[in-house]
């Protein structure tokens, strides 16, 4: 496939280490992929779903202990521990290579090693980067084919001398005690072993497009962020682009594909999806910030996805999609998950593989689908995919939005005073943990820019990079914070969310265009109630007031928690963060 010596030498080394019985290059052809699907069905690795109702769709079940990212087994192995910083797990590269080599040694005996050349970003775009993943899992090959641009054209783009990120994945026996997801940012290398779950093994995604890319971006003057990208079209047909960073399972896919409330739809408002998880951002020649989505598909949370909550995502899963750890309806070999409808299948196979009566099973409080079950759907399937999705130059960004799950404290929306204050707003994000990562769910933790699990270097330097970037962007996007998850005293969501979030996006763009005033508070600018389009909502005036209110006591407690969090970075923490905390303290009185 290639004469690139760097590729060939590395491949020989990895073959000698893993000792596969065969090596197969993935050329991206439909014939080859179809043969692999057949093989996976034969071996039981995948189940073929109803090809009339769900053409090209397959099902995969992972091991019970292998259903989410494993942050405690994810490492950043820089030369010094200081470069990885206090948030990342670290081990000296030589020590880690030795440990991993022992695990990979002979790991593919009797198995096939697949060589997947892939591009993050449109092939040939100045934003794009190339990776090669070696894996012994057909599931990984088929997912990578959906999530990235795979095949011959990538090898051609790499040329005889091009550089690439080296990615090695071996499934082994998915032993959780020997599971490692390891990054060597200074060697452009990722090594993953003993897992077969999405974020741990689709190495183009979080491992490359965030952890390695954030390091590359810091060195090269661009940014890799855990952000959706959407285009909001107004009735005049103008499209403005927004990036939003929310932690895992906090609403990026939903916001990226939202359908506006009826009265706005009638006026001609529309949302176009550019990306639902990752954005790569560069300063354009006109001094604006431009974004591409480096991915080619959506690896979305299934539970909660319905015609009502996310019609576009559901449509995207109707063909050529791989479902992981959802439930099967054995009646007609279709899929089901909590929140799809109120009709769990009677003849169900729950995600662990047991045949159950779904109605009785769920009535007893059991879940048919794993809370972190996912669909892998090609972006081209999405009815609202943006016409700019393949634009190699990306789209110009008007606003950056940060947000998390906060039952209290954070108001529905507020605007930062300027870029530097916006960096502080992002850096002080906190959110309740979700099922997307192994561990406790619902615990509030600090999650700067939704990047806590994904920064491939010292987070203090990452904050500095944000400040440095601000100086390079002549016309920077305005920065906002949102919270769709505020709860009332009975534990109900106060804000309807989903499509109605469009009302908040409209306010955000109105602010960007200087069309509306706002109220200055201790933490930033909040909307005047009359500037929010609330028609058709069943929200009392008190609830709206509450949603926009700032609880000073809660913010004082949050500030104390911020100080504790930032203290761990010592002298490396940018002075701007400390100044912003002092200023917030003064404002809170
Ligand atoms: P990752 O793929 O893990 O990065 O997740 P994500 O940020 O794309 O989250 P996603 O859009 O898949 O939403 C995760 C969960 O949040 C789903 O169960 C949604 O139903 C729920 N959710 C999304 N948007 C809203 C909202 O506006 N309000 C409420 N209450 N829930 C929401
Ligand atoms: C996330 O956890 O933020 C995801 C899913 O988008 S994974 O690919 O597992 O990281
Ligand atoms: Mn994500």
């Amino acid at each position: 496939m290639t004469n690139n010596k760097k590729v060939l030498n590395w491949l020989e080394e990895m073959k000698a280490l893993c000792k596969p019985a065969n090596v197969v290059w993935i050329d991206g052809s439909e014939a080859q992929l179809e043969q692999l699907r057949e093989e996976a069905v034969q071996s039981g690795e995948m189940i073929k779903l109803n090809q009339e109702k769900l053409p090209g769709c397959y099902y995969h079940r992972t091991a019970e202990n292998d259903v989410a990212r494993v942050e405690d087994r994810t490492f950043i192995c820089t030369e010094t521990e200081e470069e990885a910083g206090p948030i990342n797990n670290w081990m000296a590269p030589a020590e880690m290579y030795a440990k991993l080599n022992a695990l990979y040694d002979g790991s593919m005996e009797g198995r096939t090693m697949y060589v997947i050349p892939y591009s993050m970003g449109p092939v040939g775009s100045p934003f794009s980067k190339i990776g090669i993943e070696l894996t012994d899992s057909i599931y990984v090959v088929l997912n990578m084919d959906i999530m990235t641009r795979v095949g011959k054209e990538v090898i051609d783009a790499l040329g005889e001398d091009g550089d690439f990120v080296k990615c090695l994945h071996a499934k082994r026996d998915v032993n959780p005690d020997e599971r490692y997801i390891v990054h060597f940012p200074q060697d452009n290398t990722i090594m993953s072993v003993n897992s077969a779950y999405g974020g741990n093994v689709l190495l183009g995604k979080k491992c490359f497009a965030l952890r390695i890319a954030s390091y590359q971006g810091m060195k090269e003057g661009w940014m890799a962020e855990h952000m959706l990208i959407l285009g909001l079209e107004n009735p005049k047909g103008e499209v403005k682009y927004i990036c939003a960073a929310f932690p895992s399972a906090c609403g990026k896919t939903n916001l990226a594909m939202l359908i506006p409330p009826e009265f706005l739809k009638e006026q001609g408002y529309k949302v176009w999806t550019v990306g639902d998880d990752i954005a790569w951002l560069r300063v354009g020649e006109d001094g604006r910030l431009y974004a591409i989505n480096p991915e080619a598909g959506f690896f979305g949370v299934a539970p909660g996805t319905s015609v009502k909550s996310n019609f576009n995502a559901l449509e995207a899963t109707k063909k050529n999609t791989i479902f992981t750890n959802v439930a099967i309806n054995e009646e007609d070999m279709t899929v089901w998950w909590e929140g799809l409808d109120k009709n769990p299948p009677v003849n169900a196979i729950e995600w662990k593989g047991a045949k159950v009566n779904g109605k009785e099973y769920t009535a007893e409080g059991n879940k048919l689908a794993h809370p972190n079950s996912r669909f892998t759907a090609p972006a081209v399937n999405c009815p609202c995919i943006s016409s700019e999705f393949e634009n190699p130059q990306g789209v110009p960004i008007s606003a950056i939005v940060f947000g998390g799950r906060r039952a209290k404290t954070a108001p529905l929306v507020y605007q930062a005073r300027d870029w530097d204050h916006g960096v502080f707003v992002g850096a002080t994000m906190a959110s309740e943990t979700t099922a997307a990562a192994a561990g406790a769910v619902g615990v509030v933790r600090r999650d700067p820019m939704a990047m806590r699990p994904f920064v491939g270097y010292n987070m203090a330097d990452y904050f500095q990079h944000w400040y440095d970037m601000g100086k390079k962007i002549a016309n920077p996007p305005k920065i906002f914070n949102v919270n769709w998850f505020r709860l009332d005293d009975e534990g109900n969501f106060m804000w309807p969310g989903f499509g109605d979030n469009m009302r908040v996006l409209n306010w955000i763009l109105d602010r960007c265009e200087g069309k509306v005033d706002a109220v200055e508070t201790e933490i930033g600018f909040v909307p005047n109630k009359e500037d929010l389009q609330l028609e058709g909502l069943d929200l009392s005036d008190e609830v709206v007031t509450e949603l926009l209110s700032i609880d000073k006591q809660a913010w004082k407690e949050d500030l104390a928690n911020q100080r504790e969090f930032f203290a761990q970075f010592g002298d490396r923490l940018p002075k701007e963060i400390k100044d912003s905390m002092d200023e917030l303290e003064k404002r809170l009185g």
Side-chain angles (χ1 to χ4, degrees), residues 206 226 247-254 276-277 299 301 303-304 374 405 436 484-485 493 497-498 501:
K206 296 305 171 36
H226 194 196
S248 303
C250 289
K252 287 183 301 300
T253 301
N254 275 271
D276 82 324
D277 198 48
F299 186 60
V301 178
R374 301 248 168 189
R405 266 175 208 269
W484 315 139
F485 299 94
F493 290 117
F498 301 99
N501 293 332

Side-chain angles (χ1 to χ4, degrees), residues 2-286:
T2 179
N3 295 320
N4 187 309
K5 285 270 178 336
K6 295 176 212 171
V7 175
L8 295 174
N9 292 341
W10 172 67
L11 183 57
E12 281 314 307
E13 244 180 81
M14 295 304 108
K15 270 160 64 180
L17 176 63
C18 301
K19 306 181 178 67
N22 316 293
V23 175
V24 171
W25 278 83
I26 301 300
D27 60 18
S29 70
E30 190 45 36
Q32 186 186 41
L33 294 166
E34 193 51 32
Q35 193 194 323
L36 290 174
R37 290 180 197 117
E38 283 298 312
E39 216 175 302
V41 169
Q42 289 301 320
S43 71
E45 189 178 357
M46 297 216 299
I47 294 172
K48 202 172 199 161
L49 294 167
N50 184 323
Q51 295 299 299
E52 259 152 50
K53 293 187 175 169
L54 296 168
C57 292
Y58 290 81
Y59 179 90
H60 175 76
R61 186 177 288 129
T62 66
E64 272 175 59
N65 69 37
D66 192 25
V67 293
R69 285 183 292 101
V70 279
E71 294 179 4
D72 58 332
R73 309 207 58 93
T74 299
F75 286 75
I76 302 295
C77 296
T78 40
E79 277 308 315
T80 66
E81 185 166 8
E82 187 70 13
E83 288 165 285
I87 301 294
N88 288 313
N89 299 312
W90 176 85
M91 199 183 282
E95 196 185 331
M96 183 57 97
Y97 278 124
K99 184 192 260 301
L100 290 176
N101 285 347
L103 291 174
Y104 286 103
D105 191 1
S107 61
M108 297 186 190
E109 265 165 20
R111 300 172 61 79
T112 299
M113 173 189 270
Y114 299 97
V115 184
I116 315 170
Y118 68 93
S119 174
M120 299 311 290
V123 178
S125 154
F127 284 75
S128 297
K129 300 256 181 196
I130 288 172
I132 299 181
E133 177 162 354
L134 310 179
T135 179
D136 57 354
S137 158
I138 295 182
Y139 172 75
V140 168
V141 173
L142 296 174
N143 273 274
M144 285 294 285
D145 175 64
I146 298 173
M147 293 306 296
T148 73
R149 283 106 173 151
V150 164
K152 178 89 176 53
E153 53 166 2
V154 177
I155 282 297
D156 295 343
L158 185 63
E160 301 238 329
D161 196 41
D163 281 315
F164 61 98
V165 176
K166 303 172 195 139
C167 309
L168 177 64
H169 165 245
K171 187 172 169 183
R172 275 185 113 234
D173 56 357
V174 295
N175 176 356
D177 300 325
E178 290 186 328
R179 185 170 296 156
Y180 289 95
I181 317 300
V182 185
H183 310 72
F184 302 91
Q186 290 144 336
D187 300 343
N188 265 338
T189 296
I190 302 163
M191 297 173 87
S192 160
V193 66
N194 273 313
S195 174
Y197 164 78
N200 299 330
V201 298
L202 309 180
L203 300 182
K205 195 172 177 57
K206 296 305 171 36
C207 298
F208 178 175
L210 288 179
R211 298 195 190 96
I212 296 290
S214 63
Y215 179 83
Q216 295 175 327
M218 182 263 290
K219 293 276 173 195
E220 298 166 9
W222 53 282
M223 306 164 92
E225 299 295 335
H226 194 196
M227 291 176 175
L228 68 91
I229 311 163
L230 67 80
L232 196 157
E233 181 174 338
N234 69 18
K236 282 184 255 167
E238 301 161 342
V239 185
K240 299 269 156 61
Y241 295 91
I242 298 176
C243 283
F246 308 156
S248 303
C250 289
K252 287 183 301 300
T253 301
N254 275 271
L255 191 69
M257 299 178 191
L258 82 70
I259 294 180
E262 208 52 48
F263 80 101
L264 290 173
K265 228 165 45 183
E266 279 164 14
Q267 291 171 39
Y269 284 97
K270 288 191 192 104
V271 165
W272 300 107
T273 309
V274 182
D276 82 324
D277 198 48
I278 297 175
W280 283 1
L281 302 142
R282 280 175 192 272
V283 187
E285 276 165 20
D286 59 358

Side-chain angles (χ1 to χ4, degrees), residues 296-349:
F298 308 121
F299 186 60
V301 178
T305 307
S306 68
V307 174
K308 201 158 163 276
S309 70
N310 197 342
F311 170 83
N312 288 312
L314 199 60
E315 276 300 300
T317 67
K318 297 263 163 83
K319 59 179 184 198
N320 304 332
T321 292
I322 299 171
F323 296 91
T324 302
N325 294 340
V326 301
I328 294 180
N329 182 352
E330 250 200 322
E331 200 80 51
D332 61 355
M333 290 310 281
T334 56
V335 287
W336 193 86
W337 49 77
E338 275 68 23
L340 174 67
D341 54 40
K342 298 207 159 66
N343 212 6
V346 173
N347 293 311
I349 309 178

Side-chain angles (χ1 to χ4, degrees), residues 433-455:
T433 52
T434 66
V441 167
V443 183
V444 176
R445 67 166 183 179
R446 304 235 73 100
D447 190 351
M449 283 85 170
M451 283 288 281
R452 181 186 180 120
F454 308 121
V455 177

Side-chain angles (χ1 to χ4, degrees), residues 409 411 486 521-523 526 546 548-552 555 588:
T409 318
R486 196 129 160 188
T521 73
E522 295 80 357
I523 62 167
V526 300
E546 173 69 16
L548 298 175
S549 70
I550 313 291
D551 175 346
K552 276 209 208 179
W555 277 96
L588 288 169

Side-chain angles (χ1 to χ4, degrees), residues 478-494:
K478 303 276 190 283
I479 300 181
F480 299 80
N481 193 88
V482 299
N483 179 21
W484 315 139
F485 299 94
R486 196 129 160 188
L487 298 181
D488 64 17
D489 293 337
E490 277 82 56
N492 304 309
F493 290 117
M494 294 172 70

